[in-house]
Amino acid sequence: MKLSNKVESMQFSPIRRFNPIAQKAKDAGKKVYHLNIGQPDVETPECFMEAIRGYEPKVIAYAESQGLPVLQDAVIEYFKNYDMDVERGDMIITTGGSEALTMIFTALLDEGDEVLLAEPFYTNYHTFATAAGGKVVPITTKAEDGYHYAKREQIEPLITERTKAICCINPGNPTGTVLTKEEMQLIADIAEEHNLWIIADEVYREFAYDGRVAVSFGQIESAKDRVIIVDSVSKRHSACGARIGFLLSKNKEFMSNVMKIAQGRLCVSTVDQVGAAALFRLPLSYYDEVKAEYCGRRDVVYEELMKIPGVVCQKPGGSFYITAKLPVADVEDFLIFLLEEFEDNGETVMFAPAAGFYATEGLGKDEMRIAYVLNQADMRRAVELIRLGIEAYNAR
Ligand SMILES: Cc1ncc(COP(=O)(O)O)c(C=O)c1O
């Protein structure tokens, strides 16, 4: 019996792959600071559970495939903050942003089609695109340039007759890079000139720091018909386990065709949709508070990283990740050392090696991604452990 070439060419998540080694370290009594996964520690707003407690249907029935009106209407209200005029028919509620991406790639890609995406990128894009028969074509970026990619001369040479879309994770995962409105317009112009879709993954939308203003691709007037937005309550509302997201587009042909896929999978958990509706009705001040918390953590992480000789990274402008170059040749080997051999007062640390976030073989071997999802004191200690670990590793 044979498996598909598609599944065989997929990779295990670099974010979760080292968990068994971390578990062994924990079983042996070590405390492990987990900076490998974007699981926020910020509490899910109480309104989520309150809404669910008030939802008492006699039968937990299937919902419409496009989602519950109560959630769709809350999303419509939320986008008014962005001066975006959204209608129910412009959106399909999905099981997290992940399902939105799976559906989008299935709807857009034929075997061998290509999507452009800045590397390093959120690694599951490779899985989603491959599952749909497509291929991620990387726009390679560098730590030294703050992982910026919105440059015509970098993007255009990569466009072929198989290119269907350009994906923008904004703010970025794993780099934290934030596009300016001008850069978004440039991408929209390129997409228009080459007739490409824009897949705008905005699951970190409000998390833009230092006076940067969160802009949605839905606000770029000239791109209205080619933008498909991916959203989720996982990160901005600290509700990863709710598994609620959506895709949103003003393109009627896309929406009507992607609905076939949505109908095929019936619907999304109604209970979680009710909770998520309350999240989208939160006042904007909610995002300000959470943003201030993450911004403070970013500053701590950056400050501590800069104390390590040989580290290369620029202060990222958003999301809750920092990718940095470390003064070790093989970050994966270093991580295994941290988990298996190193400790300081019974403590060690875990991050995600960045090689798995690159599509180009050989890149990212000396880079790591940190998710700053712990409080400031823990983040400071965790980065200190990386520093002490590097000293011990390089002294062997
Ligand atoms: C950029 C990006 N897009 C999409 C997702 C998918 O998230 P979820 O399926 O939890 O909404 C993630 C999760 O980490 C992400 O970082």
Side-chain angles (χ1 to χ4, degrees):
M1 287 189 293
K2 195 161 160 14
L3 298 169
S4 72
N5 293 335
K6 276 196 264 195
V7 81
E8 285 186 345
S9 75
M10 289 176 189
Q11 58 169 5
F12 286 99
S13 166
I15 302 163
R16 294 172 179 253
R17 197 153 59 94
F18 297 92
N19 280 349
I21 308 178
Q23 192 53 50
K24 266 197 198 152
K26 284 188 260 186
D27 291 346
K30 271 190 223 176
K31 173 170 176 175
V32 180
Y33 288 85
H34 275 275
L35 313 183
N36 55 309
I37 190 160
Q39 168 57 64
D41 67 337
V42 171
E43 283 185 18
T44 312
E46 256 176 49
C47 63
F48 180 85
M49 285 312 296
E50 276 165 14
I52 289 176
R53 280 188 212 104
Y55 178 62
E56 293 180 336
K58 293 274 179 260
V59 175
I60 306 282
Y62 285 125
E64 289 294 332
S65 297
Q66 65 270 26
L68 289 183
V70 67
L71 175 53
Q72 291 195 308
D73 290 347
V75 171
I76 289 169
E77 281 304 307
Y78 160 83
F79 274 115
K80 287 188 181 157
N81 295 313
Y82 286 85
D83 291 327
M84 280 165 60
D85 178 21
V86 175
E87 292 168 16
R88 282 188 189 168
D90 302 334
M91 108 189 66
I92 294 176
I93 305 298
T94 54
T95 302
S98 306
E99 192 190 38
L101 285 163
T102 310
M103 286 187 185
I104 293 166
F105 285 139
T106 306
L108 300 189
L109 302 183
D110 285 316
E111 205 63 35
D113 279 347
E114 298 171 354
V115 291
L116 297 179
L117 174 59
E119 72 174 347
F121 55 81
Y122 174 55
T123 171
N124 288 329
Y125 270 73
H126 179 70
T127 309
F128 302 141
T130 309
K135 184 177 148 200
V136 172
V137 172
I139 308 164
T140 304
T141 67
K142 289 200 194 107
E144 289 79 357
D145 304 333
Y147 302 102
H148 282 282
Y149 61 94
K151 298 177 192 131
R152 188 178 277 276
E153 62 280 13
Q154 231 177 321
I155 297 171
E156 258 182 344
L158 300 170
I159 298 174
T160 70
E161 58 189 18
R162 300 310 305 261
T163 312
K164 280 279 186 68
I166 175 159
C167 306
C168 299
I169 304 173
N170 187 45
N173 174 12
T175 60
T177 304
V178 180
L179 293 171
T180 62
K181 187 146 190 206
E182 291 70 32
E183 288 175 324
M184 291 165 87
Q185 187 60 57
L186 172 73
I187 288 167
D189 293 346
I190 296 173
E192 190 175 344
E193 286 156 31
H194 297 271
N195 203 22
L196 306 178
W197 296 92
I198 298 171
I199 300 171
D201 183 333
E202 300 182 353
V203 306
Y204 300 96
R205 187 178 300 106
E206 279 81 15
F207 296 169
Y209 314 129
D210 310 324
R212 288 176 181 83
V213 183
V215 180
S216 170
F217 258 104
Q219 291 171 280
I220 307 289
E221 203 52 43
S222 65
K224 276 239 152 80
D225 207 39
R226 61 183 71 252
V227 168
I228 306 167
I229 293 172
V230 175
D231 209 324
S232 165
V233 298
S234 290
K235 312 294 172 167
R236 297 181 345 270
H237 303 103
S238 286
C240 296
R243 310 305 307 130
I244 297 293
F246 56 87
L247 59 82
L248 191 152
S249 175
K250 285 277 172 195
N251 186 299
K252 299 249 179 297
E253 192 191 359
F254 168 76
M255 288 307 292
S256 113
N257 279 284
V258 80
M259 181 56 103
K260 298 174 195 165
I261 306 168
Q263 288 183 350
R265 61 74 162 113
L266 307 182
C267 73
V268 171
S269 157
T270 52
V271 177
D272 289 295
Q273 287 190 68
V274 167
L279 297 176
F280 276 99
R281 294 217 180 255
L282 282 164
L284 282 188
S285 55
Y286 161 76
Y287 300 105
D288 291 339
E289 278 167 35
V290 185
K291 198 165 91 168
E293 173 62 30
Y294 282 120
C295 186
R297 292 176 184 189
R298 183 222 35 191
D299 290 344
V300 164
V301 171
Y302 185 72
E303 191 185 307
E304 290 299 311
L305 280 175
M306 288 299 102
K307 290 182 186 162
I308 307 176
V311 161
V312 180
C313 81
Q314 287 187 10
K315 201 185 229 187
S319 77
F320 46 57
Y321 305 100
I322 290 189
T323 296
K325 215 177 230 188
L326 296 184
V328 297
D330 185 342
V331 160
E332 215 171 285
D333 187 61
F334 171 53
L335 176 61
I336 294 169
F337 166 81
L338 284 176
L339 294 172
E340 288 185 343
E341 296 175 46
F342 173 81
E343 67 169 272
D344 182 64
N345 286 327
E347 296 182 335
T348 190
V349 59
M350 183 177 185
F351 48 74
F357 295 86
Y358 283 85
T360 306
E361 193 54 40
L363 291 185
K365 279 196 163 30
D366 56 352
E367 292 173 44
M368 65 160 183
R369 183 197 76 169
I370 285 178
Y372 39 96
V373 289
L374 307 177
N375 65 50
Q376 287 193 18
D378 283 354
M379 287 309 308
R380 201 177 284 283
R381 171 67 177 150
V383 183
E384 183 190 27
L385 286 166
I386 294 175
R387 178 169 58 79
L388 296 173
I390 290 174
E391 283 166 18
Y393 182 76
N394 285 341
R396 289 174 316 161

